[in-house]
Amino acid sequence: MKLALFASAIGIAAIGWSGAHAAEHEVRMLNKGPKGQAMQFDPAFLKIEPGDSVKFVATDKGHNSESILEMIPEGAETWKGKINEAITVTFDVEGIYGYKCQPHFPLGMVGIIQVGDNTDNLDSAETAKLPGRAKTRMAELIAQVGAGGAGSEEAQRD
Ligand SMILES: [Cu+2]
Protein backbone atom coordinates (compact mmCIF):
# COMPACT_ATOMS: atom_id res chain seq x y z
CA MET A 1 0.00 0.00 0.00
CA LYS A 2 2.73 2.37 0.95
CA LEU A 3 4.63 1.34 -2.16
CA ALA A 4 1.61 1.97 -4.39
CA LEU A 5 1.18 5.49 -3.04
CA PHE A 6 4.83 6.16 -3.61
CA ALA A 7 4.63 4.91 -7.16
CA SER A 8 1.64 7.10 -8.00
CA ALA A 9 3.38 10.14 -6.53
CA ILE A 10 6.34 9.48 -8.81
CA GLY A 11 3.94 9.14 -11.73
CA ILE A 12 2.38 12.54 -11.08
CA ALA A 13 5.79 14.15 -10.71
CA ALA A 14 6.95 12.60 -13.97
CA ILE A 15 4.06 14.21 -15.85
CA GLY A 16 5.14 17.57 -14.46
CA TRP A 17 8.77 17.04 -15.44
CA SER A 18 8.00 15.98 -18.99
CA GLY A 19 6.33 19.32 -19.68
CA ALA A 20 3.59 17.44 -21.54
CA HIS A 21 0.96 18.58 -19.08
CA ALA A 22 -0.23 22.00 -20.16
CA ALA A 23 -2.06 23.97 -17.51
CA GLU A 24 -5.67 25.08 -17.70
CA HIS A 25 -6.31 28.46 -16.13
CA GLU A 26 -9.63 30.06 -15.24
CA VAL A 27 -10.88 33.57 -15.77
CA ARG A 28 -14.26 34.40 -14.27
CA MET A 29 -16.69 36.78 -15.96
CA LEU A 30 -18.19 38.90 -13.20
CA ASN A 31 -20.71 41.69 -12.67
CA LYS A 32 -18.55 42.91 -9.83
CA GLY A 33 -14.83 42.34 -9.49
CA PRO A 34 -12.92 41.45 -6.31
CA LYS A 35 -12.23 45.12 -5.64
CA GLY A 36 -15.82 46.14 -6.31
CA GLN A 37 -15.26 47.23 -9.93
CA ALA A 38 -18.30 46.81 -12.16
CA MET A 39 -18.07 44.36 -15.07
CA GLN A 40 -14.79 42.57 -14.64
CA PHE A 41 -12.73 39.63 -15.83
CA ASP A 42 -11.00 38.02 -12.87
CA PRO A 43 -8.07 37.87 -13.09
CA ALA A 44 -7.98 40.55 -15.77
CA PHE A 45 -4.25 40.04 -16.26
CA LEU A 46 -2.93 36.53 -16.62
CA LYS A 47 0.49 35.23 -17.60
CA ILE A 48 0.62 31.69 -18.94
CA GLU A 49 2.94 29.40 -20.88
CA PRO A 50 2.57 28.48 -24.56
CA GLY A 51 0.26 25.46 -24.91
CA ASP A 52 -1.72 26.38 -21.81
CA SER A 53 -5.43 26.99 -22.07
CA VAL A 54 -7.77 29.43 -20.40
CA LYS A 55 -11.36 28.69 -19.54
CA PHE A 56 -13.53 31.79 -19.39
CA VAL A 57 -16.23 30.89 -16.89
CA ALA A 58 -19.73 32.37 -17.08
CA THR A 59 -19.94 32.99 -13.34
CA ASP A 60 -22.37 35.86 -13.85
CA LYS A 61 -24.86 36.27 -16.69
CA GLY A 62 -24.61 38.56 -19.67
CA HIS A 63 -20.92 38.28 -20.53
CA ASN A 64 -18.72 36.77 -23.19
CA SER A 65 -15.03 36.67 -24.02
CA GLU A 66 -13.68 37.53 -27.43
CA SER A 67 -10.31 38.56 -28.76
CA ILE A 68 -9.68 42.14 -29.84
CA LEU A 69 -8.45 41.92 -33.42
CA GLU A 70 -5.70 44.56 -33.14
CA MET A 71 -4.45 43.08 -29.89
CA ILE A 72 -3.30 39.55 -30.64
CA PRO A 73 0.05 38.34 -32.00
CA GLU A 74 0.59 37.69 -35.71
CA GLY A 75 -0.47 34.18 -36.65
CA ALA A 76 -2.57 33.72 -33.53
CA GLU A 77 -6.16 32.56 -33.73
CA THR A 78 -9.06 34.77 -32.73
CA TRP A 79 -11.86 33.56 -30.49
CA LYS A 80 -15.42 34.63 -29.79
CA GLY A 81 -17.44 33.13 -26.97
CA LYS A 82 -21.21 33.24 -26.79
CA ILE A 83 -22.98 35.34 -24.18
CA ASN A 84 -23.67 33.35 -20.96
CA GLU A 85 -21.42 30.50 -22.08
CA ALA A 86 -17.99 29.34 -21.00
CA ILE A 87 -15.31 29.07 -23.65
CA THR A 88 -11.91 27.41 -23.44
CA VAL A 89 -9.10 28.81 -25.55
CA THR A 90 -5.68 27.23 -26.05
CA PHE A 91 -2.79 29.61 -26.59
CA ASP A 92 0.03 28.23 -28.74
CA VAL A 93 1.50 31.46 -30.12
CA GLU A 94 3.53 33.57 -27.69
CA GLY A 95 2.65 37.21 -27.27
CA ILE A 96 0.14 39.64 -25.80
CA TYR A 97 -3.59 38.96 -26.19
CA GLY A 98 -6.15 41.65 -25.49
CA TYR A 99 -9.76 40.54 -25.18
CA LYS A 100 -13.13 41.98 -24.30
CA CYS A 101 -16.67 41.31 -23.25
CA GLN A 102 -18.69 42.59 -26.21
CA PRO A 103 -21.67 44.10 -24.28
CA HIS A 104 -19.46 45.71 -21.64
CA PHE A 105 -16.53 46.79 -23.80
CA PRO A 106 -17.26 50.53 -23.36
CA LEU A 107 -17.60 49.95 -19.60
CA GLY A 108 -14.05 48.64 -19.50
CA MET A 109 -14.63 44.90 -19.36
CA VAL A 110 -11.34 43.90 -20.93
CA GLY A 111 -8.42 41.65 -20.11
CA ILE A 112 -4.91 40.68 -21.14
CA ILE A 113 -3.29 37.29 -21.39
CA GLN A 114 0.46 37.22 -21.76
CA VAL A 115 1.68 33.98 -23.31
CA GLY A 116 5.35 33.29 -22.72
CA ASP A 117 7.90 36.09 -22.78
CA ASN A 118 7.57 37.35 -26.33
CA THR A 119 6.26 40.93 -26.19
CA ASP A 120 6.87 41.85 -29.86
CA ASN A 121 3.23 42.83 -30.43
CA LEU A 122 3.00 44.98 -27.30
CA ASP A 123 3.51 48.24 -29.22
CA SER A 124 0.74 47.53 -31.71
CA ALA A 125 -1.52 46.35 -28.88
CA GLU A 126 -0.93 49.64 -27.09
CA THR A 127 -2.07 51.68 -30.07
CA ALA A 128 -5.36 49.83 -30.50
CA LYS A 129 -8.35 52.19 -30.34
CA LEU A 130 -10.61 51.30 -27.43
CA PRO A 131 -13.93 52.81 -26.36
CA GLY A 132 -14.65 54.62 -23.10
CA ARG A 133 -13.33 53.05 -19.94
CA ALA A 134 -11.74 50.18 -21.85
CA LYS A 135 -8.89 52.52 -22.72
CA THR A 136 -8.04 53.30 -19.08
CA ARG A 137 -8.40 49.75 -17.86
CA MET A 138 -6.38 48.35 -20.73
CA ALA A 139 -3.57 50.82 -20.02
CA GLU A 140 -3.48 49.56 -16.42
CA LEU A 141 -3.29 45.97 -17.62
CA ILE A 142 -0.61 46.68 -20.22
CA ALA A 143 1.49 48.17 -17.44
CA GLN A 144 1.53 44.71 -15.84
CA VAL A 145 3.06 43.00 -18.87
CA GLY A 146 6.47 41.59 -18.07
CA ALA A 147 9.18 42.15 -20.64
CA GLY A 148 10.68 38.76 -19.85
CA GLY A 149 13.59 40.24 -17.95
CA ALA A 150 14.48 42.26 -14.87
CA GLY A 151 12.33 40.06 -12.67
CA SER A 152 9.16 41.75 -13.83
CA GLU A 153 7.48 38.40 -14.26
CA GLU A 154 7.65 37.22 -10.68
CA ALA A 155 5.30 39.91 -9.42
CA GLN A 156 2.51 38.49 -11.56
CA ARG A 157 2.90 34.88 -10.54
CA ASP A 158 0.57 33.63 -7.88
CU1 LIG B 1 -19.53 41.67 -19.68
Side-chain angles (χ1 to χ4, degrees):
M1 189 61 185
K2 216 170 193 177
L3 187 63
L5 276 175
F6 182 67
S8 79
I10 292 284
I12 289 163
I15 291 167
W17 291 331
S18 72
H21 184 76
E24 181 175 292
H25 307 264
E26 265 192 17
V27 171
R28 296 184 301 158
M29 303 189 272
L30 302 174
N31 293 343
K32 189 178 269 193
K35 290 174 189 163
Q37 324 89 315
M39 308 309 172
Q40 183 84 9
F41 290 105
D42 180 49
F45 179 90
L46 186 62
K47 182 163 191 285
I48 66 175
E49 297 303 320
D52 285 1
S53 55
V54 175
K55 182 178 186 182
F56 297 92
V57 185
T59 308
D60 290 330
K61 298 279 180 204
H63 307 287
N64 79 330
S65 164
E66 63 180 270
S67 50
I68 299 172
L69 287 182
E70 306 82 10
M71 295 190 72
I72 64 173
E74 220 179 298
E77 284 185 41
T78 60
W79 72 90
K80 182 170 184 171
K82 293 197 176 101
I83 303 279
N84 293 337
E85 285 184 20
I87 179 174
T88 302
V89 182
T90 302
F91 295 87
D92 292 319
V93 180
E94 286 198 33
I96 307 302
Y97 293 74
Y99 63 93
K100 64 185 175 184
C101 164
Q102 180 62 47
H104 303 121
F105 193 23
L107 296 177
M109 188 161 173
V110 292
I112 283 191
I113 293 169
Q114 179 181 359
V115 181
D117 290 320
N118 183 332
T119 54
D120 286 354
N121 74 314
L122 184 58
D123 286 349
S124 62
E126 273 177 320
T127 57
K129 286 210 173 73
L130 306 176
R133 293 194 60 201
K135 201 180 170 74
T136 329
R137 278 215 188 149
M138 193 59 92
E140 290 167 11
L141 296 173
I142 281 176
Q144 296 182 50
V145 171
S152 50
E153 179 184 330
E154 280 75 6
Q156 298 307 326
R157 281 285 177 193
D158 52 19

CSV table of all heavy atoms in Angstrom, one decimal, residues 26-30 32-34 40-44 55-60 63 99 109:
chain,number,residue,atom,x,y,z
A,26,GLU,N,-8.2,29.6,-15.2
A,26,GLU,CA,-9.6,30.1,-15.2
A,26,GLU,C,-9.7,31.6,-15.1
A,26,GLU,O,-9.0,32.2,-14.3
A,26,GLU,CB,-10.4,29.4,-14.1
A,26,GLU,CG,-11.1,28.2,-14.5
A,26,GLU,CD,-12.1,27.7,-13.4
A,26,GLU,OE1,-12.5,28.5,-12.5
A,26,GLU,OE2,-12.5,26.5,-13.5
A,27,VAL,N,-10.6,32.1,-15.9
A,27,VAL,CA,-10.9,33.6,-15.8
A,27,VAL,C,-12.4,33.7,-15.6
A,27,VAL,O,-13.1,33.1,-16.4
A,27,VAL,CB,-10.4,34.4,-17.0
A,27,VAL,CG1,-11.0,35.8,-16.9
A,27,VAL,CG2,-8.9,34.4,-17.1
A,28,ARG,N,-12.8,34.3,-14.5
A,28,ARG,CA,-14.3,34.4,-14.3
A,28,ARG,C,-14.8,35.7,-14.9
A,28,ARG,O,-14.1,36.7,-15.0
A,28,ARG,CB,-14.5,34.4,-12.8
A,28,ARG,CG,-14.1,33.1,-12.1
A,28,ARG,CD,-14.5,33.2,-10.6
A,28,ARG,NE,-13.9,34.3,-9.9
A,28,ARG,CZ,-14.3,34.8,-8.8
A,28,ARG,NH1,-15.4,34.3,-8.2
A,28,ARG,NH2,-13.6,35.8,-8.2
A,29,MET,N,-16.0,35.6,-15.4
A,29,MET,CA,-16.7,36.8,-16.0
A,29,MET,C,-17.7,37.3,-14.9
A,29,MET,O,-18.7,36.6,-14.6
A,29,MET,CB,-17.4,36.4,-17.3
A,29,MET,CG,-16.3,35.8,-18.3
A,29,MET,SD,-17.0,35.6,-20.0
A,29,MET,CE,-17.6,34.0,-19.9
A,30,LEU,N,-17.5,38.4,-14.4
A,30,LEU,CA,-18.2,38.9,-13.2
A,30,LEU,C,-18.9,40.2,-13.4
A,30,LEU,O,-18.4,41.1,-14.1
A,30,LEU,CB,-17.2,39.1,-12.0
A,30,LEU,CG,-16.4,37.9,-11.6
A,30,LEU,CD1,-15.4,38.2,-10.6
A,30,LEU,CD2,-17.3,36.7,-11.1
A,32,LYS,N,-19.3,42.1,-10.8
A,32,LYS,CA,-18.6,42.9,-9.8
A,32,LYS,C,-17.2,42.2,-9.5
A,32,LYS,O,-17.2,41.1,-9.1
A,32,LYS,CB,-19.4,43.2,-8.6
A,32,LYS,CG,-18.7,44.2,-7.6
A,32,LYS,CD,-19.6,44.4,-6.4
A,32,LYS,CE,-20.6,45.6,-6.7
A,32,LYS,NZ,-21.2,46.0,-5.4
A,33,GLY,N,-16.1,42.9,-9.7
A,33,GLY,CA,-14.8,42.3,-9.5
A,33,GLY,C,-14.5,42.3,-8.0
A,33,GLY,O,-15.2,42.8,-7.2
A,34,PRO,N,-13.3,41.6,-7.7
A,34,PRO,CA,-12.9,41.4,-6.3
A,34,PRO,C,-12.7,42.8,-5.6
A,34,PRO,O,-12.8,42.8,-4.3
A,34,PRO,CB,-11.6,40.6,-6.4
A,34,PRO,CG,-11.2,40.7,-7.8
A,34,PRO,CD,-12.4,41.0,-8.6
A,40,GLN,N,-16.2,42.9,-14.8
A,40,GLN,CA,-14.8,42.6,-14.6
A,40,GLN,C,-14.4,41.1,-15.0
A,40,GLN,O,-15.2,40.2,-14.6
A,40,GLN,CB,-14.4,42.8,-13.2
A,40,GLN,CG,-13.0,42.6,-12.8
A,40,GLN,CD,-12.2,43.9,-13.0
A,40,GLN,OE1,-12.7,44.9,-13.4
A,40,GLN,NE2,-10.9,43.8,-12.9
A,41,PHE,N,-13.3,41.0,-15.7
A,41,PHE,CA,-12.7,39.6,-15.8
A,41,PHE,C,-11.8,39.5,-14.6
A,41,PHE,O,-11.1,40.4,-14.2
A,41,PHE,CB,-11.9,39.5,-17.1
A,41,PHE,CG,-12.7,39.5,-18.4
A,41,PHE,CD1,-12.7,40.6,-19.2
A,41,PHE,CD2,-13.4,38.3,-18.8
A,41,PHE,CE1,-13.5,40.6,-20.4
A,41,PHE,CE2,-14.1,38.3,-19.9
A,41,PHE,CZ,-14.2,39.4,-20.7
A,42,ASP,N,-11.8,38.3,-14.1
A,42,ASP,CA,-11.0,38.0,-12.9
A,42,ASP,C,-10.3,36.7,-13.0
A,42,ASP,O,-10.9,35.6,-13.0
A,42,ASP,CB,-11.9,38.0,-11.6
A,42,ASP,CG,-11.0,37.8,-10.4
A,42,ASP,OD1,-10.0,38.4,-10.2
A,42,ASP,OD2,-11.4,36.9,-9.6
A,43,PRO,N,-8.9,36.7,-13.1
A,43,PRO,CA,-8.1,37.9,-13.1
A,43,PRO,C,-8.1,38.5,-14.5
A,43,PRO,O,-8.1,37.8,-15.5
A,43,PRO,CB,-6.7,37.3,-12.8
A,43,PRO,CG,-6.7,35.9,-13.3
A,43,PRO,CD,-8.1,35.4,-13.1
A,44,ALA,N,-8.0,39.8,-14.5
A,44,ALA,CA,-8.0,40.6,-15.8
A,44,ALA,C,-6.6,40.5,-16.5
A,44,ALA,O,-6.5,40.6,-17.7
A,44,ALA,CB,-8.4,42.0,-15.5
A,55,LYS,N,-9.9,28.8,-19.5
A,55,LYS,CA,-11.4,28.7,-19.5
A,55,LYS,C,-12.0,30.0,-19.0
A,55,LYS,O,-11.8,30.3,-17.8
A,55,LYS,CB,-11.8,27.5,-18.7
A,55,LYS,CG,-13.3,27.2,-18.7
A,55,LYS,CD,-13.6,26.0,-17.9
A,55,LYS,CE,-15.1,25.7,-18.1
A,55,LYS,NZ,-15.5,24.5,-17.3
A,56,PHE,N,-12.8,30.6,-19.8
A,56,PHE,CA,-13.5,31.8,-19.4
A,56,PHE,C,-14.9,31.3,-18.8
A,56,PHE,O,-15.7,30.7,-19.6
A,56,PHE,CB,-13.7,32.8,-20.6
A,56,PHE,CG,-12.4,33.3,-21.1
A,56,PHE,CD1,-11.8,32.7,-22.1
A,56,PHE,CD2,-11.9,34.4,-20.5
A,56,PHE,CE1,-10.6,33.2,-22.6
A,56,PHE,CE2,-10.7,35.0,-21.0
A,56,PHE,CZ,-10.0,34.3,-22.0
A,57,VAL,N,-15.1,31.5,-17.6
A,57,VAL,CA,-16.2,30.9,-16.9
A,57,VAL,C,-17.4,31.9,-16.8
A,57,VAL,O,-17.1,33.0,-16.3
A,57,VAL,CB,-15.8,30.4,-15.5
A,57,VAL,CG1,-17.0,29.7,-14.8
A,57,VAL,CG2,-14.6,29.5,-15.6
A,58,ALA,N,-18.6,31.5,-17.1
A,58,ALA,CA,-19.7,32.4,-17.1
A,58,ALA,C,-20.3,32.4,-15.7
A,58,ALA,O,-21.4,31.9,-15.4
A,58,ALA,CB,-20.8,31.9,-18.1
A,59,THR,N,-19.5,32.9,-14.7
A,59,THR,CA,-19.9,33.0,-13.3
A,59,THR,C,-21.2,33.8,-13.2
A,59,THR,O,-22.2,33.5,-12.5
A,59,THR,CB,-18.8,33.6,-12.5
A,59,THR,OG1,-17.6,32.9,-12.7
A,59,THR,CG2,-19.1,33.5,-11.0
A,60,ASP,N,-21.2,35.0,-13.8
A,60,ASP,CA,-22.4,35.9,-13.8
A,60,ASP,C,-22.9,35.9,-15.3
A,60,ASP,O,-22.2,35.6,-16.2
A,60,ASP,CB,-22.0,37.3,-13.4
A,60,ASP,CG,-21.7,37.4,-11.9
A,60,ASP,OD1,-22.3,36.6,-11.1
A,60,ASP,OD2,-20.9,38.2,-11.5
A,63,HIS,N,-22.3,38.0,-20.1
A,63,HIS,CA,-20.9,38.3,-20.5
A,63,HIS,C,-20.5,37.3,-21.6
A,63,HIS,O,-21.0,36.2,-21.7
A,63,HIS,CB,-19.9,38.2,-19.3
A,63,HIS,CG,-20.4,39.1,-18.2
A,63,HIS,ND1,-20.3,40.5,-18.2
A,63,HIS,CD2,-20.9,38.8,-17.0
A,63,HIS,CE1,-20.7,41.0,-17.1
A,63,HIS,NE2,-21.1,39.9,-16.3
A,99,TYR,N,-8.4,41.1,-24.9
A,99,TYR,CA,-9.8,40.5,-25.2
A,99,TYR,C,-10.8,41.4,-24.4
A,99,TYR,O,-10.5,42.2,-23.6
A,99,TYR,CB,-9.9,39.1,-24.8
A,99,TYR,CG,-9.7,38.8,-23.4
A,99,TYR,CD1,-10.8,38.7,-22.5
A,99,TYR,CD2,-8.4,38.6,-22.8
A,99,TYR,CE1,-10.6,38.4,-21.1
A,99,TYR,CE2,-8.2,38.3,-21.5
A,99,TYR,CZ,-9.3,38.2,-20.6
A,99,TYR,OH,-9.2,38.0,-19.3
A,109,MET,N,-14.8,46.3,-19.6
A,109,MET,CA,-14.6,44.9,-19.4
A,109,MET,C,-13.7,44.3,-20.4
A,109,MET,O,-14.1,43.8,-21.4
A,109,MET,CB,-16.0,44.2,-19.4
A,109,MET,CG,-15.9,42.7,-18.9
A,109,MET,SD,-17.5,42.1,-18.3
A,109,MET,CE,-17.0,40.4,-18.0
